[in-house]
Amino acid sequence: MWTTFLFGSRHVGALWYYLPAALLVKTPLGTLALWAAGVGTMVAVPKLRPAAPYVLVPAAVLLAAAMTGSRDLGVRYALFVPMFLAVAAAGVVALRRRWARVAVAGLVAFTAVSSLRTFPYYLPYANEAFGGPAETHRQLHDSNVDWGQDLGRLADRLEQRYPGQRVWLVYKGSGVPSYYGIDAADPLAVPPDLVHGLLVVSDSATAKADDRLGLLLRTSTPIDEVGHSITIHRRP
């Protein structure tokens, strides 16, 4: 059975509230505020109310259907939510109040700054309320953090800071480490007492570590991180 990782805890099976929770983590705070304001405006303003069934109802129905899925892997299963709610958010300017336009401009700017601050690590984005990209792996895993984008960065880091050192790698992804010049062995294929040197583990693998990997991690010391998706440990 598939397991779910959310807010630092593992769960057996899917969680019905996973997608809303993941969206809460992965969406900029300014955007969340714009969505809320847009929904409220669309419901409250008479001239916008007729459009509500065409914008809000489909988003709610599709999200409810997606929440019944058996695999909690990422917010990509709810990408339609931002599209519908962006339309709702645009309705805030229909208030034709100066303060509304100023507020919208401020929230858009806040969203832009929040996004730009993550450069160049856009994929593991989390908003400031959840600690930003560096803390995303403590809240979510899999495609919310890692699509294999950091193998190249890992190769550069190993060459620059740890040349010639023994490397053991547990990588959560379909990339081929050797393609990037990473010479690493699988620490799960040998007895734990033979694993010494650098233990490199994808944060998504750490989130769902079994007893074997858990033992290796508990007896190692984190010394570096790559792209907010891979942690380098040292095991004596």
Side-chain angles (χ1 to χ4, degrees):
M1 179 178 289
W2 286 81
T3 57
T4 296
F5 182 80
L6 181 64
F7 298 146
S9 299
R10 283 190 296 171
H11 305 268
V12 177
L15 299 175
W16 67 267
Y17 54 86
Y18 176 85
L19 282 177
L23 283 169
L24 190 64
V25 175
K26 297 287 288 181
T27 304
L29 295 175
T31 301
L32 289 172
L34 284 169
W35 289 354
V39 171
T41 301
M42 187 161 279
V43 172
V45 176
K47 65 180 178 180
L48 294 180
R49 201 171 296 150
Y54 301 97
V55 176
L56 304 183
V57 173
V61 170
L62 289 171
L63 180 60
M67 288 166 60
T68 65
S70 61
R71 299 180 183 182
D72 293 335
L73 298 179
V75 292
R76 66 185 186 273
Y77 294 106
L79 285 179
F80 51 84
V81 172
M83 292 186 290
F84 280 105
L85 293 188
V87 175
V92 177
V93 297
L95 294 175
R96 297 188 181 279
R97 297 288 189 274
R98 183 177 179 182
W99 64 263
R101 298 191 179 192
V102 171
V104 167
L107 291 172
V108 169
F110 182 26
T111 296
V113 171
S114 179
S115 299
L116 290 172
R117 287 179 60 196
T118 69
F119 177 84
Y121 309 119
Y122 293 119
L123 200 149
Y125 176 87
N127 64 48
E128 291 78 4
F130 293 94
E135 299 297 321
T136 308
H137 68 277
R138 302 185 188 280
Q139 315 293 340
L140 302 164
H141 78 306
D142 207 83
S143 61
N144 295 297
V145 177
D146 188 2
W147 277 77
Q149 74 275 9
D150 286 322
L151 276 179
R153 291 192 182 104
L154 174 62
D156 292 339
R157 183 69 54 84
L158 293 174
E159 181 180 359
Q160 294 167 4
R161 297 188 184 179
Y162 312 100
Q165 298 191 38
R166 187 75 167 98
V167 178
W168 303 84
L169 176 64
V170 177
Y171 176 66
K172 176 69 169 61
S174 58
V176 181
S178 60
Y179 173 82
Y180 298 90
I182 299 173
D183 182 15
D186 182 0
L188 303 180
V190 299
D193 58 356
L194 296 181
V195 180
H196 304 285
L198 299 178
L199 175 63
V200 182
V201 184
S202 293
D203 292 332
S204 289
T206 299
K208 301 177 74 172
D210 57 15
D211 292 341
R212 181 87 176 270
L213 180 56
L215 172 62
L216 292 174
L217 292 171
R218 288 193 300 273
T219 52
S220 303
T221 302
I223 59 172
D224 204 350
E225 64 88 24
V226 179
H228 305 316
S229 74
I230 299 173
T231 300
I232 300 175
H233 309 255
R234 186 175 298 284
R235 195 164 194 271

mmCIF file with all atom_site columns, all heavy atoms in Angstrom, residues 104 112 154:
data_model
loop_
_atom_site.group_PDB
_atom_site.id
_atom_site.type_symbol
_atom_site.label_atom_id
_atom_site.label_alt_id
_atom_site.label_comp_id
_atom_site.label_asym_id
_atom_site.label_entity_id
_atom_site.label_seq_id
_atom_site.pdbx_PDB_ins_code
_atom_site.Cartn_x
_atom_site.Cartn_y
_atom_site.Cartn_z
_atom_site.occupancy
_atom_site.B_iso_or_equiv
_atom_site.pdbx_formal_charge
_atom_site.auth_seq_id
_atom_site.auth_comp_id
_atom_site.auth_asym_id
_atom_site.auth_atom_id
_atom_site.pdbx_PDB_model_num
ATOM 1  N N   . VAL A 1 104 ? -4.465 44.638 -4.085 1.00 0.00 ? 104 VAL A N   1
ATOM 2  C CA  . VAL A 1 104 ? -4.145 43.636 -5.112 1.00 0.00 ? 104 VAL A CA  1
ATOM 3  C C   . VAL A 1 104 ? -2.714 43.823 -5.607 1.00 0.00 ? 104 VAL A C   1
ATOM 4  O O   . VAL A 1 104 ? -1.949 42.843 -5.727 1.00 0.00 ? 104 VAL A O   1
ATOM 5  C CB  . VAL A 1 104 ? -5.139 43.740 -6.291 1.00 0.00 ? 104 VAL A CB  1
ATOM 6  C CG1 . VAL A 1 104 ? -4.625 42.923 -7.480 1.00 0.00 ? 104 VAL A CG1 1
ATOM 7  C CG2 . VAL A 1 104 ? -6.514 43.244 -5.872 1.00 0.00 ? 104 VAL A CG2 1
ATOM 8  N N   . ALA A 1 112 ? 5.402  37.919 -6.138 1.00 0.00 ? 112 ALA A N   1
ATOM 9  C CA  . ALA A 1 112 ? 6.560  37.967 -7.021 1.00 0.00 ? 112 ALA A CA  1
ATOM 10 C C   . ALA A 1 112 ? 7.863  37.899 -6.228 1.00 0.00 ? 112 ALA A C   1
ATOM 11 O O   . ALA A 1 112 ? 8.785  37.152 -6.583 1.00 0.00 ? 112 ALA A O   1
ATOM 12 C CB  . ALA A 1 112 ? 6.521  39.235 -7.869 1.00 0.00 ? 112 ALA A CB  1
ATOM 13 N N   . LEU A 1 154 ? 24.544 17.991 -7.380 1.00 0.00 ? 154 LEU A N   1
ATOM 14 C CA  . LEU A 1 154 ? 25.232 17.080 -6.467 1.00 0.00 ? 154 LEU A CA  1
ATOM 15 C C   . LEU A 1 154 ? 26.605 16.710 -7.017 1.00 0.00 ? 154 LEU A C   1
ATOM 16 O O   . LEU A 1 154 ? 27.600 16.688 -6.274 1.00 0.00 ? 154 LEU A O   1
ATOM 17 C CB  . LEU A 1 154 ? 24.396 15.818 -6.243 1.00 0.00 ? 154 LEU A CB  1
ATOM 18 C CG  . LEU A 1 154 ? 25.069 14.706 -5.426 1.00 0.00 ? 154 LEU A CG  1
ATOM 19 C CD1 . LEU A 1 154 ? 25.395 15.207 -4.017 1.00 0.00 ? 154 LEU A CD1 1
ATOM 20 C CD2 . LEU A 1 154 ? 24.182 13.470 -5.368 1.00 0.00 ? 154 LEU A CD2 1
#
